[in-house]
Amino acid sequence: MSTILITGATSGLGRHLAFELVRSGHVVLAHGRDPGRTERLVEELRTEGDAEAFVADLASLTEVRELGARVADARPDLDVLINNAGVGAGAPGTGREVSADGHELRLAVNYLAPVTLTRALLPVLRANAPTRIVNVGSVGQDPVDFDDIEFRRGYDGFAAYRRAKFALAAHTFTLAEELAGTGVAVNVLHPATFMDTGMVREGGFAALSTIADGAPGVLALATQDLGTGGYFDGTSRARAHEGTYDREVQKRLAAVTDQLLAL
């Protein structure tokens, strides 16, 4: 059985995954932003199995790095990282928001945070190989604008969300190549379309699927050997936006990501 860190575990898909995994006998490390909600979740999970709480605000890269250090220190047996936490498009008409570090909020939480957390935990994951990284992406992907990476011009929350998910997919493919032969698999998936979550409802969208519909794809990637460098739509292999496979785009994204994380 594996030791699995799930970000954004206190609601929606993350919460559902936490219960599914703990009931299957895995050790669940549940991340949340709110200390009370995270502790209450872990109390519930412990009635089913082994769980531990980790609190951090992913809108702060300092807190993300500290989260990685705490997990690595407390659970050097970590086998699986599920980068599930995210912020949606926001309520209709919501203007551009920024993170604690001044980055556009969707870029910060949906892209820079999982990249930072993954980097912090890679030494542990490499040491414990075979291990897995599962990035919860979206079928909604728009190419990033390298001339306006922070989306200061013509801002739109849904477009910002899609750009961050494009970046996450492209990053996944680059990282999979870097980690080839190490035993660390990294994949990205679109779990299900417009699941019945607070994020979807806040955006003013009607739910088209249940949270349970989104779970099988994530669970499969977290618990089975399905190769590396793949994009999945639910449990099916699929193709991400063609631009995410472009070598030049991947190189530029890697360079700009390093710049953003060095700020």
Side-chain angles (χ1 to χ4, degrees), residues 52-239:
E52 192 171 341
F54 289 89
V55 177
D57 182 353
L58 301 190
S60 161
L61 293 175
T62 300
E63 289 198 33
V64 176
R65 291 184 183 103
E66 288 169 355
L67 170 66
R70 285 204 312 276
V71 171
D73 187 49
R75 303 308 306 228
D77 56 338
L78 182 73
D79 302 291
V80 181
L81 166 61
I82 302 176
N83 285 310
N84 162 73
V87 287
T94 300
R96 183 177 176 276
E97 301 165 275
V98 295
S99 71
D101 308 288
H103 297 299
E104 189 277 312
L105 187 65
R106 276 132 199 98
L107 178 75
V109 177
N110 296 345
Y111 176 63
L112 296 177
V115 171
T116 300
L117 183 59
T118 299
R119 288 183 180 180
L121 291 170
L122 263 181
V124 173
L125 291 167
R126 289 176 78 124
N128 293 340
T131 52
R132 303 183 182 102
I133 298 162
V134 183
N135 290 327
V136 178
S138 172
V139 74
Q141 299 161 28
D142 283 345
V144 293
D145 180 352
F146 288 110
D147 297 323
D148 186 21
I149 197 76
E150 295 278 8
F151 213 152
R152 292 190 169 91
R153 297 191 297 271
Y155 182 82
D156 173 77
F158 195 52
Y161 175 86
R162 292 166 64 99
R163 288 184 189 188
K165 293 300 189 180
F166 175 100
L168 186 64
H171 162 76
T172 299
F173 305 142
T174 304
L175 183 61
E177 217 161 279
E178 282 173 23
L179 294 173
T182 64
V184 184
V186 53
N187 292 286
V188 60
L189 85 159
H190 168 68
T193 300
F194 288 152
M195 290 179 290
D196 189 12
T197 63
M199 186 191 293
V200 166
R201 288 191 295 272
E202 181 195 47
F205 302 106
L208 298 178
S209 53
T210 66
I211 289 167
D213 291 334
V218 185
L219 294 170
L221 286 170
T223 61
Q224 298 169 32
D225 179 8
L226 295 174
T228 188
Y231 171 76
F232 291 77
D233 185 345
T235 55
S236 305
R237 282 185 183 278
R239 288 285 287 179

